[in-house]
Amino acid sequence: MTTDALVLDAAAQDLLFREARTANTFTDEPVSEEQVQAIYELVKYGPTAFNQQPLRVVLVRSEEGRERLVRQMADGNKDKTAAAPLVAILAVDNEFHEELPTQLPHFPQAKNLFFSERSVRERSATMNGALQAAYFIIGVRAAGLAAGPMTGYDAEGINKEFFGDGEHSVLAVVNIGKPGEDAWFPRSPRLAYDEVVTTV
């Protein structure tokens, strides 16, 4: 399969997908606020249902914040989280519907018509927040950085420690920075096209 069918050039394809992997080690080069803002300003345009934007990002920069987060991580993720230049907690705001009248101005009644029940909002926030988290990871790669997304943590502990309002739910914790020595595990296999795609 050639890359000729894609508009994106081969170098960008490699940067975002083929050569990109989850990083397990990082250099000590800092990640600036400007880089994170540029990432967000790019990925905020990724599509979601009803243009809902449930993703909320907590950047853990302080030593105190890092210690609080590391305590909530699974043992295999503690050292990576402690050493990464920047760590982002990706969570969803389960009250995202409050923003719909301004973010979906052509259909403001969607707020109450579809999202009046908390259980419906939670399901929708999880689905669409996961989409936004994926866009965020691609954005990190587009900035020339590596991402180390993790779900090995005490979710209840993180929710309580960093939000504590009952309105937010953690989706992932992402280590961010320039990849360090032996940052990558070997590339794992991927399913073939014919194993995934069916035409009817």
Side-chain angles (χ1 to χ4, degrees):
M1 174 66 186
T2 69
T3 61
D4 297 345
L6 302 175
V7 174
L8 204 62
D9 68 52
Q13 294 170 36
D14 287 343
L15 178 71
L16 298 179
F17 295 100
R18 279 192 295 269
E19 299 299 325
R21 302 186 218 171
T22 295
N24 294 290
T25 67
F26 298 89
T27 69
D28 58 3
E29 183 178 334
V31 177
S32 71
E33 193 71 24
E34 291 75 18
Q35 286 173 298
V36 179
Q37 186 167 354
I39 290 165
Y40 177 73
E41 294 298 334
L42 175 65
V43 304
K44 70 182 182 181
Y45 294 108
T48 57
F50 293 95
N51 197 35
Q52 63 183 269
Q53 297 157 60
L55 184 70
R56 301 293 181 266
V57 181
V58 175
L59 300 177
V60 183
R61 292 192 179 275
S62 70
E63 183 176 337
E64 179 265 344
R66 189 71 63 104
E67 289 173 357
R68 289 165 53 207
L69 178 58
V70 167
R71 284 196 295 269
Q72 307 301 327
M73 301 304 293
D75 289 343
N77 291 331
K78 288 181 185 293
D79 290 344
K80 292 186 286 188
T81 303
L86 178 64
V87 184
I89 301 171
L90 306 187
V92 293
D93 181 355
N94 291 302
E95 302 301 312
F96 69 86
H97 67 312
E98 296 294 346
E99 305 290 344
L100 285 181
T102 59
Q103 301 308 300
L104 197 68
H106 64 281
F107 190 22
Q109 60 269 37
K111 171 187 172 183
N112 296 319
L113 189 61
F114 294 105
F115 299 110
S116 60
E117 295 181 22
R118 172 67 182 246
S119 62
V120 173
R121 293 198 301 275
E122 287 179 351
R123 288 194 301 273
S124 192
T126 298
M127 170 64 182
N128 289 280
L131 284 173
Q132 290 187 286
Y135 303 144
F136 182 85
I137 291 167
I138 299 301
V140 168
R141 295 172 176 180
L145 301 169
M150 301 168 292
T151 55
Y153 48 70
D154 178 348
E156 185 177 338
I158 289 179
N159 291 340
K160 182 178 179 181
E161 186 71 31
F162 290 91
F163 302 104
D165 57 8
E167 295 180 1
H168 294 78
S169 304
V170 63
L171 283 177
V173 174
V174 184
N175 296 329
I176 303 170
K178 292 285 187 179
E181 188 174 352
D182 298 321
W184 324 112
F185 293 140
R187 169 69 80 192
S188 296
R190 296 296 192 270
L191 293 171
Y193 178 87
D194 290 341
E195 295 177 285
V196 175
V197 180
T198 303
T199 301
V200 296

PDB file of all heavy atoms in Angstrom, residues 127-158:
ATOM      1  N   MET A 127     -17.750   9.236  25.650  1.00  0.00           N
ATOM      2  CA  MET A 127     -17.514   8.973  24.231  1.00  0.00           C
ATOM      3  C   MET A 127     -16.819  10.144  23.556  1.00  0.00           C
ATOM      4  O   MET A 127     -15.793  10.003  22.887  1.00  0.00           O
ATOM      5  CB  MET A 127     -18.846   8.682  23.549  1.00  0.00           C
ATOM      6  CG  MET A 127     -18.795   8.628  22.043  1.00  0.00           C
ATOM      7  SD  MET A 127     -17.773   7.272  21.440  1.00  0.00           S
ATOM      8  CE  MET A 127     -17.894   7.558  19.673  1.00  0.00           C
ATOM      9  N   ASN A 128     -17.374  11.322  23.716  1.00  0.00           N
ATOM     10  CA  ASN A 128     -16.837  12.488  23.016  1.00  0.00           C
ATOM     11  C   ASN A 128     -15.553  13.006  23.658  1.00  0.00           C
ATOM     12  O   ASN A 128     -14.677  13.523  22.962  1.00  0.00           O
ATOM     13  CB  ASN A 128     -17.908  13.576  22.924  1.00  0.00           C
ATOM     14  CG  ASN A 128     -19.005  13.181  21.958  1.00  0.00           C
ATOM     15  OD1 ASN A 128     -18.851  13.306  20.755  1.00  0.00           O
ATOM     16  ND2 ASN A 128     -20.106  12.660  22.492  1.00  0.00           N
ATOM     17  N   GLY A 129     -15.427  12.827  24.956  1.00  0.00           N
ATOM     18  CA  GLY A 129     -14.168  13.164  25.610  1.00  0.00           C
ATOM     19  C   GLY A 129     -13.042  12.254  25.161  1.00  0.00           C
ATOM     20  O   GLY A 129     -11.897  12.691  25.004  1.00  0.00           O
ATOM     21  N   ALA A 130     -13.358  10.975  24.921  1.00  0.00           N
ATOM     22  CA  ALA A 130     -12.342  10.047  24.410  1.00  0.00           C
ATOM     23  C   ALA A 130     -11.887  10.465  23.013  1.00  0.00           C
ATOM     24  O   ALA A 130     -10.699  10.383  22.689  1.00  0.00           O
ATOM     25  CB  ALA A 130     -12.887   8.625  24.395  1.00  0.00           C
ATOM     26  N   LEU A 131     -12.830  10.922  22.184  1.00  0.00           N
ATOM     27  CA  LEU A 131     -12.448  11.463  20.880  1.00  0.00           C
ATOM     28  C   LEU A 131     -11.502  12.646  21.052  1.00  0.00           C
ATOM     29  O   LEU A 131     -10.459  12.732  20.397  1.00  0.00           O
ATOM     30  CB  LEU A 131     -13.686  11.922  20.109  1.00  0.00           C
ATOM     31  CG  LEU A 131     -14.571  10.853  19.482  1.00  0.00           C
ATOM     32  CD1 LEU A 131     -15.837  11.495  18.922  1.00  0.00           C
ATOM     33  CD2 LEU A 131     -13.823  10.113  18.380  1.00  0.00           C
ATOM     34  N   GLN A 132     -11.853  13.555  21.947  1.00  0.00           N
ATOM     35  CA  GLN A 132     -11.014  14.727  22.162  1.00  0.00           C
ATOM     36  C   GLN A 132      -9.647  14.351  22.732  1.00  0.00           C
ATOM     37  O   GLN A 132      -8.636  14.987  22.398  1.00  0.00           O
ATOM     38  CB  GLN A 132     -11.717  15.720  23.086  1.00  0.00           C
ATOM     39  CG  GLN A 132     -12.912  16.406  22.445  1.00  0.00           C
ATOM     40  CD  GLN A 132     -13.451  17.500  23.343  1.00  0.00           C
ATOM     41  OE1 GLN A 132     -14.090  17.224  24.363  1.00  0.00           O
ATOM     42  NE2 GLN A 132     -13.162  18.738  22.991  1.00  0.00           N
ATOM     43  N   ALA A 133      -9.607  13.332  23.572  1.00  0.00           N
ATOM     44  CA  ALA A 133      -8.326  12.863  24.105  1.00  0.00           C
ATOM     45  C   ALA A 133      -7.445  12.325  22.985  1.00  0.00           C
ATOM     46  O   ALA A 133      -6.229  12.564  22.954  1.00  0.00           O
ATOM     47  CB  ALA A 133      -8.560  11.792  25.171  1.00  0.00           C
ATOM     48  N   ALA A 134      -8.045  11.604  22.045  1.00  0.00           N
ATOM     49  CA  ALA A 134      -7.279  11.103  20.898  1.00  0.00           C
ATOM     50  C   ALA A 134      -6.756  12.253  20.053  1.00  0.00           C
ATOM     51  O   ALA A 134      -5.594  12.238  19.616  1.00  0.00           O
ATOM     52  CB  ALA A 134      -8.144  10.162  20.060  1.00  0.00           C
ATOM     53  N   TYR A 135      -7.595  13.257  19.819  1.00  0.00           N
ATOM     54  CA  TYR A 135      -7.123  14.433  19.079  1.00  0.00           C
ATOM     55  C   TYR A 135      -5.950  15.089  19.823  1.00  0.00           C
ATOM     56  O   TYR A 135      -4.989  15.536  19.199  1.00  0.00           O
ATOM     57  CB  TYR A 135      -8.247  15.467  18.913  1.00  0.00           C
ATOM     58  CG  TYR A 135      -9.492  14.984  18.231  1.00  0.00           C
ATOM     59  CD1 TYR A 135     -10.745  15.452  18.633  1.00  0.00           C
ATOM     60  CD2 TYR A 135      -9.450  14.069  17.184  1.00  0.00           C
ATOM     61  CE1 TYR A 135     -11.908  15.032  18.009  1.00  0.00           C
ATOM     62  CE2 TYR A 135     -10.610  13.636  16.559  1.00  0.00           C
ATOM     63  CZ  TYR A 135     -11.839  14.124  16.979  1.00  0.00           C
ATOM     64  OH  TYR A 135     -12.994  13.702  16.366  1.00  0.00           O
ATOM     65  N   PHE A 136      -6.050  15.148  21.144  1.00  0.00           N
ATOM     66  CA  PHE A 136      -4.997  15.770  21.945  1.00  0.00           C
ATOM     67  C   PHE A 136      -3.673  15.038  21.749  1.00  0.00           C
ATOM     68  O   PHE A 136      -2.613  15.661  21.589  1.00  0.00           O
ATOM     69  CB  PHE A 136      -5.412  15.773  23.422  1.00  0.00           C
ATOM     70  CG  PHE A 136      -4.436  16.438  24.334  1.00  0.00           C
ATOM     71  CD1 PHE A 136      -4.473  17.813  24.536  1.00  0.00           C
ATOM     72  CD2 PHE A 136      -3.472  15.699  25.022  1.00  0.00           C
ATOM     73  CE1 PHE A 136      -3.566  18.440  25.389  1.00  0.00           C
ATOM     74  CE2 PHE A 136      -2.570  16.314  25.865  1.00  0.00           C
ATOM     75  CZ  PHE A 136      -2.608  17.687  26.051  1.00  0.00           C
ATOM     76  N   ILE A 137      -3.705  13.720  21.756  1.00  0.00           N
ATOM     77  CA  ILE A 137      -2.486  12.931  21.575  1.00  0.00           C
ATOM     78  C   ILE A 137      -1.876  13.195  20.193  1.00  0.00           C
ATOM     79  O   ILE A 137      -0.658  13.366  20.058  1.00  0.00           O
ATOM     80  CB  ILE A 137      -2.783  11.433  21.788  1.00  0.00           C
ATOM     81  CG1 ILE A 137      -3.097  11.178  23.265  1.00  0.00           C
ATOM     82  CG2 ILE A 137      -1.605  10.564  21.324  1.00  0.00           C
ATOM     83  CD1 ILE A 137      -3.710   9.820  23.535  1.00  0.00           C
ATOM     84  N   ILE A 138      -2.722  13.261  19.161  1.00  0.00           N
ATOM     85  CA  ILE A 138      -2.224  13.570  17.823  1.00  0.00           C
ATOM     86  C   ILE A 138      -1.641  14.981  17.798  1.00  0.00           C
ATOM     87  O   ILE A 138      -0.622  15.247  17.145  1.00  0.00           O
ATOM     88  CB  ILE A 138      -3.348  13.423  16.767  1.00  0.00           C
ATOM     89  CG1 ILE A 138      -3.873  11.983  16.734  1.00  0.00           C
ATOM     90  CG2 ILE A 138      -2.855  13.849  15.387  1.00  0.00           C
ATOM     91  CD1 ILE A 138      -2.833  10.943  16.404  1.00  0.00           C
ATOM     92  N   GLY A 139      -2.270  15.903  18.516  1.00  0.00           N
ATOM     93  CA  GLY A 139      -1.751  17.264  18.598  1.00  0.00           C
ATOM     94  C   GLY A 139      -0.386  17.324  19.262  1.00  0.00           C
ATOM     95  O   GLY A 139       0.491  18.091  18.842  1.00  0.00           O
ATOM     96  N   VAL A 140      -0.188  16.533  20.304  1.00  0.00           N
ATOM     97  CA  VAL A 140       1.121  16.456  20.951  1.00  0.00           C
ATOM     98  C   VAL A 140       2.169  16.009  19.939  1.00  0.00           C
ATOM     99  O   VAL A 140       3.273  16.579  19.849  1.00  0.00           O
ATOM    100  CB  VAL A 140       1.075  15.492  22.161  1.00  0.00           C
ATOM    101  CG1 VAL A 140       2.474  15.165  22.662  1.00  0.00           C
ATOM    102  CG2 VAL A 140       0.223  16.085  23.288  1.00  0.00           C
ATOM    103  N   ARG A 141       1.843  15.017  19.152  1.00  0.00           N
ATOM    104  CA  ARG A 141       2.774  14.537  18.116  1.00  0.00           C
ATOM    105  C   ARG A 141       3.030  15.621  17.074  1.00  0.00           C
ATOM    106  O   ARG A 141       4.152  15.782  16.594  1.00  0.00           O
ATOM    107  CB  ARG A 141       2.208  13.285  17.453  1.00  0.00           C
ATOM    108  CG  ARG A 141       2.099  12.093  18.387  1.00  0.00           C
ATOM    109  CD  ARG A 141       1.346  10.943  17.724  1.00  0.00           C
ATOM    110  NE  ARG A 141       1.315   9.753  18.578  1.00  0.00           N
ATOM    111  CZ  ARG A 141       0.725   8.613  18.241  1.00  0.00           C
ATOM    112  NH1 ARG A 141       0.095   8.518  17.064  1.00  0.00           N
ATOM    113  NH2 ARG A 141       0.751   7.582  19.064  1.00  0.00           N
ATOM    114  N   ALA A 142       1.986  16.360  16.698  1.00  0.00           N
ATOM    115  CA  ALA A 142       2.135  17.428  15.703  1.00  0.00           C
ATOM    116  C   ALA A 142       3.069  18.523  16.196  1.00  0.00           C
ATOM    117  O   ALA A 142       3.679  19.233  15.389  1.00  0.00           O
ATOM    118  CB  ALA A 142       0.764  18.012  15.351  1.00  0.00           C
ATOM    119  N   ALA A 143       3.205  18.652  17.515  1.00  0.00           N
ATOM    120  CA  ALA A 143       4.114  19.640  18.095  1.00  0.00           C
ATOM    121  C   ALA A 143       5.546  19.119  18.186  1.00  0.00           C
ATOM    122  O   ALA A 143       6.413  19.804  18.741  1.00  0.00           O
ATOM    123  CB  ALA A 143       3.610  20.048  19.483  1.00  0.00           C
ATOM    124  N   GLY A 144       5.788  17.916  17.655  1.00  0.00           N
ATOM    125  CA  GLY A 144       7.129  17.340  17.717  1.00  0.00           C
ATOM    126  C   GLY A 144       7.461  16.746  19.066  1.00  0.00           C
ATOM    127  O   GLY A 144       8.629  16.504  19.379  1.00  0.00           O
ATOM    128  N   LEU A 145       6.441  16.477  19.856  1.00  0.00           N
ATOM    129  CA  LEU A 145       6.616  15.894  21.182  1.00  0.00           C
ATOM    130  C   LEU A 145       6.101  14.460  21.174  1.00  0.00           C
ATOM    131  O   LEU A 145       5.436  14.026  20.241  1.00  0.00           O
ATOM    132  CB  LEU A 145       5.857  16.715  22.226  1.00  0.00           C
ATOM    133  CG  LEU A 145       6.279  18.181  22.340  1.00  0.00           C
ATOM    134  CD1 LEU A 145       5.288  18.950  23.202  1.00  0.00           C
ATOM    135  CD2 LEU A 145       7.696  18.294  22.909  1.00  0.00           C
ATOM    136  N   ALA A 146       6.390  13.751  22.228  1.00  0.00           N
ATOM    137  CA  ALA A 146       5.888  12.386  22.388  1.00  0.00           C
ATOM    138  C   ALA A 146       4.881  12.362  23.524  1.00  0.00           C
ATOM    139  O   ALA A 146       4.987  13.125  24.494  1.00  0.00           O
ATOM    140  CB  ALA A 146       7.037  11.422  22.684  1.00  0.00           C
ATOM    141  N   ALA A 147       3.911  11.482  23.394  1.00  0.00           N
ATOM    142  CA  ALA A 147       2.879  11.317  24.413  1.00  0.00           C
ATOM    143  C   ALA A 147       2.977   9.927  25.012  1.00  0.00           C
ATOM    144  O   ALA A 147       3.242   8.962  24.302  1.00  0.00           O
ATOM    145  CB  ALA A 147       1.490  11.536  23.815  1.00  0.00           C
ATOM    146  N   GLY A 148       2.750   9.853  26.299  1.00  0.00           N
ATOM    147  CA  GLY A 148       2.678   8.572  26.989  1.00  0.00           C
ATOM    148  C   GLY A 148       1.362   8.453  27.715  1.00  0.00           C
ATOM    149  O   GLY A 148       1.292   8.660  28.933  1.00  0.00           O
ATOM    150  N   PRO A 149       0.270   8.155  27.000  1.00  0.00           N
ATOM    151  CA  PRO A 149      -1.039   8.058  27.649  1.00  0.00           C
ATOM    152  C   PRO A 149      -1.158   6.807  28.514  1.00  0.00           C
ATOM    153  O   PRO A 149      -0.649   5.748  28.144  1.00  0.00           O
ATOM    154  CB  PRO A 149      -2.025   8.011  26.472  1.00  0.00           C
ATOM    155  CG  PRO A 149      -1.226   7.482  25.333  1.00  0.00           C
ATOM    156  CD  PRO A 149       0.189   7.924  25.550  1.00  0.00           C
ATOM    157  N   MET A 150      -1.811   6.958  29.657  1.00  0.00           N
ATOM    158  CA  MET A 150      -1.948   5.860  30.612  1.00  0.00           C
ATOM    159  C   MET A 150      -3.348   5.858  31.203  1.00  0.00           C
ATOM    160  O   MET A 150      -3.940   6.914  31.416  1.00  0.00           O
ATOM    161  CB  MET A 150      -0.936   6.007  31.755  1.00  0.00           C
ATOM    162  CG  MET A 150       0.519   6.032  31.321  1.00  0.00           C
ATOM    163  SD  MET A 150       1.603   6.550  32.671  1.00  0.00           S
ATOM    164  CE  MET A 150       1.121   8.263  32.863  1.00  0.00           C
ATOM    165  N   THR A 151      -3.835   4.651  31.494  1.00  0.00           N
ATOM    166  CA  THR A 151      -5.085   4.504  32.237  1.00  0.00           C
ATOM    167  C   THR A 151      -4.877   3.665  33.489  1.00  0.00           C
ATOM    168  O   THR A 151      -5.855   3.257  34.124  1.00  0.00           O
ATOM    169  CB  THR A 151      -6.187   3.876  31.354  1.00  0.00           C
ATOM    170  OG1 THR A 151      -5.710   2.630  30.828  1.00  0.00           O
ATOM    171  CG2 THR A 151      -6.568   4.801  30.209  1.00  0.00           C
ATOM    172  N   GLY A 152      -3.640   3.429  33.851  1.00  0.00           N
ATOM    173  CA  GLY A 152      -3.332   2.689  35.069  1.00  0.00           C
ATOM    174  C   GLY A 152      -3.210   3.632  36.252  1.00  0.00           C
ATOM    175  O   GLY A 152      -2.137   4.173  36.534  1.00  0.00           O
ATOM    176  N   TYR A 153      -4.322   3.838  36.942  1.00  0.00           N
ATOM    177  CA  TYR A 153      -4.367   4.743  38.086  1.00  0.00           C
ATOM    178  C   TYR A 153      -5.634   4.482  38.877  1.00  0.00           C
ATOM    179  O   TYR A 153      -6.526   3.757  38.434  1.00  0.00           O
ATOM    180  CB  TYR A 153      -4.326   6.210  37.635  1.00  0.00           C
ATOM    181  CG  TYR A 153      -5.286   6.541  36.518  1.00  0.00           C
ATOM    182  CD1 TYR A 153      -6.661   6.568  36.724  1.00  0.00           C
ATOM    183  CD2 TYR A 153      -4.813   6.835  35.235  1.00  0.00           C
ATOM    184  CE1 TYR A 153      -7.539   6.859  35.700  1.00  0.00           C
ATOM    185  CE2 TYR A 153      -5.691   7.125  34.202  1.00  0.00           C
ATOM    186  CZ  TYR A 153      -7.047   7.143  34.441  1.00  0.00           C
ATOM    187  OH  TYR A 153      -7.917   7.434  33.422  1.00  0.00           O
ATOM    188  N   ASP A 154      -5.722   5.111  40.040  1.00  0.00           N
ATOM    189  CA  ASP A 154      -6.925   5.066  40.858  1.00  0.00           C
ATOM    190  C   ASP A 154      -7.821   6.215  40.398  1.00  0.00           C
ATOM    191  O   ASP A 154      -7.602   7.372  40.777  1.00  0.00           O
ATOM    192  CB  ASP A 154      -6.540   5.209  42.333  1.00  0.00           C
ATOM    193  CG  ASP A 154      -7.740   5.213  43.266  1.00  0.00           C
ATOM    194  OD1 ASP A 154      -8.895   5.325  42.786  1.00  0.00           O
ATOM    195  OD2 ASP A 154      -7.531   5.129  44.488  1.00  0.00           O
ATOM    196  N   ALA A 155      -8.792   5.907  39.565  1.00  0.00           N
ATOM    197  CA  ALA A 155      -9.646   6.948  38.988  1.00  0.00           C
ATOM    198  C   ALA A 155     -10.398   7.717  40.072  1.00  0.00           C
ATOM    199  O   ALA A 155     -10.482   8.948  40.037  1.00  0.00           O
ATOM    200  CB  ALA A 155     -10.625   6.338  37.989  1.00  0.00           C
ATOM    201  N   GLU A 156     -10.927   6.995  41.033  1.00  0.00           N
ATOM    202  CA  GLU A 156     -11.667   7.665  42.107  1.00  0.00           C
ATOM    203  C   GLU A 156     -10.745   8.598  42.878  1.00  0.00           C
ATOM    204  O   GLU A 156     -11.136   9.709  43.251  1.00  0.00           O
ATOM    205  CB  GLU A 156     -12.277   6.617  43.047  1.00  0.00           C
ATOM    206  CG  GLU A 156     -13.161   7.201  44.123  1.00  0.00           C
ATOM    207  CD  GLU A 156     -13.819   6.132  44.994  1.00  0.00           C
ATOM    208  OE1 GLU A 156     -13.939   4.973  44.531  1.00  0.00           O
ATOM    209  OE2 GLU A 156     -14.213   6.475  46.125  1.00  0.00           O
ATOM    210  N   GLY A 157      -9.503   8.152  43.094  1.00  0.00           N
ATOM    211  CA  GLY A 157      -8.536   8.982  43.802  1.00  0.00           C
ATOM    212  C   GLY A 157      -8.192  10.248  43.036  1.00  0.00           C
ATOM    213  O   GLY A 157      -8.113  11.334  43.619  1.00  0.00           O
ATOM    214  N   ILE A 158      -7.973  10.131  41.727  1.00  0.00           N
ATOM    215  CA  ILE A 158      -7.669  11.313  40.916  1.00  0.00           C
ATOM    216  C   ILE A 158      -8.859  12.257  40.881  1.00  0.00           C
ATOM    217  O   ILE A 158      -8.712  13.474  41.020  1.00  0.00           O
ATOM    218  CB  ILE A 158      -7.240  10.899  39.494  1.00  0.00           C
ATOM    219  CG1 ILE A 158      -5.857  10.253  39.538  1.00  0.00           C
ATOM    220  CG2 ILE A 158      -7.242  12.111  38.550  1.00  0.00           C
ATOM    221  CD1 ILE A 158      -5.343   9.788  38.195  1.00  0.00           C
TER     222      ILE A 158
END
